[in-house]
Amino acid sequence: MSQIVTFEERDPVGLICIDNPPVNAIGHSVRLELVDAIARAQKSSSITVLLIMSSGEMFSAGADISEFDRPLGEPSFQQVQARIESCHLPVVAAIHGLALGGGLELALACHYRVAQRNARLGMPEITLGIIPGAGGTQRLPRLIGARAALNMMLSGTPVSAPDAKALGLVDEVAEGDLCDAALRFCKRLVHEGLGPRPTCNRIVFDGLDDTEIAAALLPHARVLKGRTTQDLLVEAIKASKLPFAQGIAIEAALAQKSLASRESLALRHVFFAERESGKLSGVSSANARQAQPAAIRQVAIIGSGTMGSGIAIAFADAGLEVLVNDNDPAALARSREIIHSTYASSVKRGRMIQNTADERIGRIRNTLTLAEVADADLVIEAVFEDMELKNYVLSKLDSFLPPQRLIATNTSTLSVTELARATRHPGRILGLHFFVPAHASRLLEIVRTEYTSAESLSTAFRVAKRLKKNAVVSRDAFGFIGNRMMLDGYFREAELLLLEGATPAQVDTALENFGFAMGPQRVSDLGGNDVGTKARVQLFKRESRPDPYFVIADHLTEMERLGQKTGRGFYRYENGSREAVPDWEVITLIEKLALERGISRREISDQEIVERCILSLINVGAIVLEEGIAARAADIDVVWTSGYGFPRQLGGPMFYADTLGLPDVLLRIRHYHKTLGYYWRPATLIERLAAAGSSFQQWDGSSVSQ
Ligand code: CAA
């Protein structure tokens, strides 16, 4: 008896139900059993209509992505769909939760679709670097038109059931119990004598000209920069004008091409890396199973500066009650302003309606009394980066909060271990390193110490999931994962290149052409050069670094060239504009600093800029792995793709290193070690993996099984 797809007769309806937790992915077994269930239904004389639905939280998240790396077994998606579409009985899909990718494509091959009011339907394949390859590019345009189909597939964002109805994608939006509504729908079909209605027999009512294609691509230009999947997608949708059999053959070829692309391999790697990083690694599986995460309903934040306010917004957005504490009424008033203006800007940009903003603002309360946070399920300290102050706040919290209550510090520079040690319950202390802007950044570094308990980590993961952030665990060390790699690798190299002769604009442009959202100097100007300088002062208390280490940025801070906020930094910004204009004053400063250090300046190629910045990032990443600061190379990829603008379609620095080939990476690192000096010492891990013909991915597979 089948476990994944069940079949039952509900006279006159043959009810087929997919039950493949957690997301009803349509893998090989589901396809096999679907075909089997359809065959059984067709044999029954009492069945006159077929209904396909799913149990669990959603209709289906699509094809089983974990099967993409091996040949897809038969029956293929196309074979299953042809079976459904050519069925002599009408087939209805009943959709709840999500119908994504291959899940939606399955529904498109059915003759009718009923969707629950809160269901969402989408084609997110582009986010994985592939095109819908199960008839989606041919059937969706036949139902809703080529232009609407292109828009849906380019954005990857699902549409609501009412919007899907308006588009012609679903026939009925069901209120109440979906199964009852769908059964009623089926019986009505029988009653009215309505039979099969194959989507493939329809014709596409509109076309796509070049102007329309360009207009459709424009809003996605930033996300799709450096990618190629969209070109394949356009080609496939254009083919929907052809007879179905021809179009579907073109789609199959293009889908295969997209699946085999580096872009797709990288994006699929990031997809799974993001899911894996949010799991307990380095904690024995027995401990992980026993770890009971605490339920979080109310969060308290101590400190109402920019970070504290941003964190408050992040939690309010996630539907939690937030209490912000500060002992300075003026600071609380400023925080209120920050929160109001952030929401006002979201409303102005059309990201949310005023009612939603008001509701979220209403979730955030202020208090001047620290004791009031006693009821919070999670307390996050976000006061100034000062060891004494943080120690005071954490010890105070530790003295009155129940011992199992999680306390997090939002430090980015201080030793979490030292902070934990000063409390009586160090097991419940960890770092939650939010990135600016805290409500929008997708990354959350969870900093664990030798004392942090599995329960605390488990709760932190749950918090990250609730905030829809990618959680990555870092051991407590200089800069944690991301900033360590940025400071000792990527950004340091960018600064050295300036001293050696490159200009800020040249460095930024080269790295933006490589695919970074923004070059390093533009990032520094955006965040504030003083912020970096202050952070390094704190970090140097843990470990110092020899000169030249951010000597340019620190001089700019001294000169009050703090970046965009003062109108001058690595660049000039005229009259409040965000446009970075090169400034000779900065070049003169760089020349002076280089001269003082005996660095002779020369012409530097863009290729050298990219190679040095990326290889140094990879090398420090490998050291971070060697030192056990990150548990997996894939975790580093998540940090860099979700928090530092590394091009997602290259999979993150460590995945990218694998695609370059570690022996080649090592060769170039050795070259720079010889020409530039000690700090290019090749990571032992790279040497070991290169010698063994291995990769970071293989290392992840073999090393993280604690
Ligand atoms: N295939 C295989 N596994 C999948 C999957 C899929 N399509 N979608 C999710 N999963 C797995 C995740 O890897 C995760 O596994 P673990 O618990 O082992 O880590 C588990 O399901 C739960 O996923 P999430 O943690 O992401 O759960 P969530 O509730 O936060 O999000 C979701 C659910 C919105 C469906 C999200 O998982 C998601 O976006 N999935 C991918 C959807 C997608 O891209 N579909 C298109 C697939 S390609 C396709 O269908 C091609 C085609 O044309 C045939």
Side-chain angles (χ1 to χ4, degrees):
M1 185 65 183
S2 156
Q3 293 289 301
I4 306 177
V5 179
T6 54
F7 171 71
E8 106 187 56
E9 297 195 16
R10 295 240 193 136
D11 191 28
V13 182
L15 177 57
I16 294 174
C17 186
I18 303 169
D19 182 13
N20 187 26
V23 295
N24 289 319
I26 304 176
H28 183 231
S29 323
V30 173
R31 296 198 300 276
L32 262 176
E33 293 185 21
L34 263 175
V35 168
D36 189 48
I38 294 165
R40 285 172 65 195
Q42 283 179 315
K43 275 190 208 136
S44 166
S45 54
S46 58
I47 289 174
T48 50
V49 55
L50 269 179
L51 176 61
I52 300 181
M53 55 192 307
S54 301
S55 55
E57 283 178 20
M58 64 188 77
F59 180 71
S60 170
D64 186 338
I65 305 166
S66 66
E67 290 183 355
F68 285 1
D69 293 329
R70 46 185 191 269
L72 294 180
E74 292 205 342
S76 66
F77 256 103
Q78 286 80 355
Q79 285 165 335
V80 176
Q81 288 165 330
R83 193 72 192 260
I84 292 171
E85 207 161 37
S86 63
C87 185
H88 71 282
L89 303 172
V91 186
V92 180
I95 298 165
H96 74 289
L98 287 165
L100 300 178
L104 179 55
E105 288 171 295
L106 181 79
L108 295 181
C110 296
H111 304 131
Y112 301 88
R113 283 153 295 280
V114 177
Q116 205 162 35
R117 178 159 288 277
N118 58 5
R120 285 177 304 135
L121 301 82
M123 294 278 188
E125 282 89 342
I126 195 151
T127 60
L128 297 169
I130 55 176
I131 69 161
T137 66
Q138 304 306 301
R139 288 193 182 90
L140 193 60
R142 280 174 164 78
L143 283 172
I144 68 171
R147 263 170 258 157
L150 178 63
N151 283 332
M152 231 175 117
M153 292 183 203
L154 281 175
S155 85
T157 311
V159 297
S160 68
D163 286 350
K165 170 94 168 48
L167 282 167
L169 179 48
V170 302
D171 299 282
E172 186 175 293
V173 174
E175 310 288 348
D177 185 79
L178 178 66
C179 188
D180 289 348
L183 285 170
R184 275 197 306 275
F185 183 90
C186 288
K187 286 173 189 160
R188 211 166 57 236
L189 287 181
V190 176
H191 183 69
E192 291 175 13
L194 294 170
R197 197 184 56 172
T199 312
C200 64
N201 289 350
R202 298 180 177 221
I203 49 161
V204 182
F205 61 78
D206 63 351
L208 280 175
D209 64 26
D210 289 350
T211 322
E212 283 158 346
I213 294 167
L217 286 167
L218 196 63
H220 310 288
R222 202 175 54 82
V223 178
L224 297 176
K225 181 181 145 195
R227 297 195 189 177
T228 54
T229 319
Q230 62 277 21
D231 301 334
L232 303 179
L233 189 59
V234 168
E235 215 178 316
I237 293 181
K238 276 182 169 174
S240 64
K241 279 297 219 185
L242 300 170
F244 187 77
Q246 270 180 39
I248 207 92
I250 292 173
E251 179 197 82
L254 292 169
Q256 203 46 46
K257 192 169 166 187
S258 68
L259 201 57
S261 68
R262 275 194 173 198
E263 181 173 321
S264 173
L265 282 175
L267 290 168
R268 273 144 52 199
H269 162 75
V270 177
F271 175 85
F272 284 114
E274 285 176 351
R275 273 138 194 94
E276 208 51 39
S277 75
K279 289 182 187 154
L280 288 173
S281 122
V283 171
S284 76
S285 40
N287 276 351
R289 269 196 302 278
Q290 280 161 15
Q292 288 294 327
I296 307 283
R297 281 169 296 267
Q298 202 201 101
V299 178
I301 294 150
I302 318 297
S304 62
T306 311
M307 206 30 136
S309 308
I311 298 173
I313 294 171
F315 280 101
D317 284 350
L320 288 139
E321 296 299 316
V322 186
L323 187 60
V324 180
N325 164 259
D326 204 300
N327 58 9
D328 177 5
L332 278 180
R334 274 196 305 277
S335 164
R336 209 74 206 141
E337 273 169 35
I338 295 175
I339 291 166
H340 276 267
S341 71
T342 306
Y343 280 115
S345 140
S346 296
V347 172
K348 200 169 152 203
R349 289 177 188 196
R351 291 194 182 141
M352 68 179 71
I353 54 167
Q354 190 60 48
N355 272 355
T356 311
D358 292 344
E359 209 176 285
R360 292 180 186 186
I361 291 171
R363 287 187 196 128
I364 306 173
R365 280 190 307 120
N366 286 347
T367 175
L368 287 162
T369 320
L370 186 64
E372 263 194 55
V373 309
D375 291 337
D377 304 300
L378 161 68
V379 182
I380 303 174
E381 122 353 76
V383 299
F384 294 117
E385 285 288 271
D386 177 272
M387 188 51 111
E388 220 174 293
L389 178 62
K390 285 198 190 267
N391 252 332
Y392 169 79
V393 171
L394 288 185
S395 308
K396 191 99 187 146
L397 290 170
D398 187 47
S399 69
F400 70 84
L401 289 172
Q404 72 284 4
R405 197 72 52 82
L406 182 63
I407 305 177
T409 165
N410 173 53
T411 183
S412 58
T413 58
L414 303 175
S415 163
V416 182
T417 311
E418 214 177 297
L419 289 168
R421 237 184 240 138
T423 65
R424 281 180 303 129
H425 307 97
R428 48 116 150 225
I429 309 284
L430 48 68
L432 285 182
H433 182 204
F434 287 83
F435 290 74
V436 181
H439 63 285
S441 169
R442 294 190 57 228
L443 176 63
L444 182 64
E445 275 184 332
I446 298 175
V447 185
R448 66 186 294 197
T449 73
E450 60 190 280
Y451 310 108
T452 310
S453 70
E455 285 75 17
S456 301
L457 279 175
S458 201
T459 303
F461 282 132
R462 183 183 267 200
V463 168
K465 183 109 186 156
R466 186 77 196 258
L467 295 176
K468 296 199 170 71
K469 292 192 187 295
N470 295 323
V472 177
V473 175
S474 170
R475 291 237 177 228
D476 180 29
F478 178 103
F480 312 136
I481 299 173
N483 284 349
R484 164 79 180 277
M485 289 172 66
M486 178 179 84
L487 293 172
D488 281 359
Y490 179 51
F491 271 41
R492 164 157 76 176
E493 206 54 32
E495 269 235 358
L496 291 176
L497 284 156
L498 296 183
L499 291 174
E500 289 172 37
T503 64
Q506 194 194 352
V507 170
D508 282 343
T509 308
L511 288 156
E512 283 159 17
N513 288 340
F514 173 77
F516 270 96
M518 209 185 256
Q521 268 79 47
R522 275 195 251 274
V523 169
S524 299
D525 272 0
L526 182 66
N529 290 314
D530 55 325
V531 175
T533 299
K534 277 188 207 141
R536 285 187 292 276
V537 169
Q538 292 295 348
L539 281 168
F540 280 9
K541 291 182 187 162
R542 297 187 86 161
E543 273 170 47
S544 65
R545 298 287 187 267
D547 183 271
Y549 193 80
F550 293 89
V551 63
I552 306 171
D554 289 345
H555 271 80
L556 291 175
T557 301
E558 246 173 56
M559 293 160 70
E560 292 287 314
R561 296 190 66 119
L562 307 184
Q564 283 193 18
K565 60 186 169 189
T566 55
R568 293 179 327 146
F570 279 95
Y571 298 90
R572 262 185 302 121
Y573 302 87
E574 310 283 5
N575 306 323
S577 153
R578 287 170 175 234
E579 195 197 337
V581 181
D583 190 342
W584 278 107
E585 208 177 302
V586 176
I587 308 291
T588 310
L589 169 74
I590 295 172
E591 282 168 353
K592 176 177 148 294
L593 294 171
L595 192 70
E596 285 168 4
R597 284 159 183 79
I599 299 171
S600 48
R601 290 168 57 78
R602 61 188 167 90
E603 283 262 317
I604 294 181
S605 70
D606 289 357
Q607 193 241 333
E608 180 177 343
I609 292 170
V610 171
E611 186 175 69
R612 282 175 55 180
C613 288
I614 303 304
L615 289 185
S616 60
L617 185 60
I618 292 167
N619 200 36
V620 181
I623 295 171
V624 159
L625 286 172
E626 268 168 30
E627 292 177 357
I629 296 165
R632 295 172 275 232
D635 286 358
I636 291 180
D637 290 334
V638 174
V639 167
W640 275 80
T641 48
S642 49
Y644 291 82
F646 190 96
R648 206 175 158 86
Q649 70 273 16
L650 298 180
M654 311 320 275
F655 182 88
Y656 182 62
D658 282 349
T659 61
L660 293 176
L662 293 189
D664 287 345
V665 166
L666 181 60
L667 206 69
R668 296 304 293 159
I669 291 177
R670 281 189 175 142
H671 162 77
Y672 287 123
H673 189 208
K674 216 153 115 196
T675 52
L676 296 171
Y678 74 95
Y679 70 93
W680 272 93
R681 175 189 69 75
T684 319
L685 181 61
I686 298 187
E687 290 180 323
R688 258 198 306 127
L689 294 177
S694 186
S695 63
F696 286 119
Q697 258 191 309
Q698 283 170 344
W699 186 78
D700 272 2
S702 61
S703 69
V704 188
S705 50
Q706 299 105 310

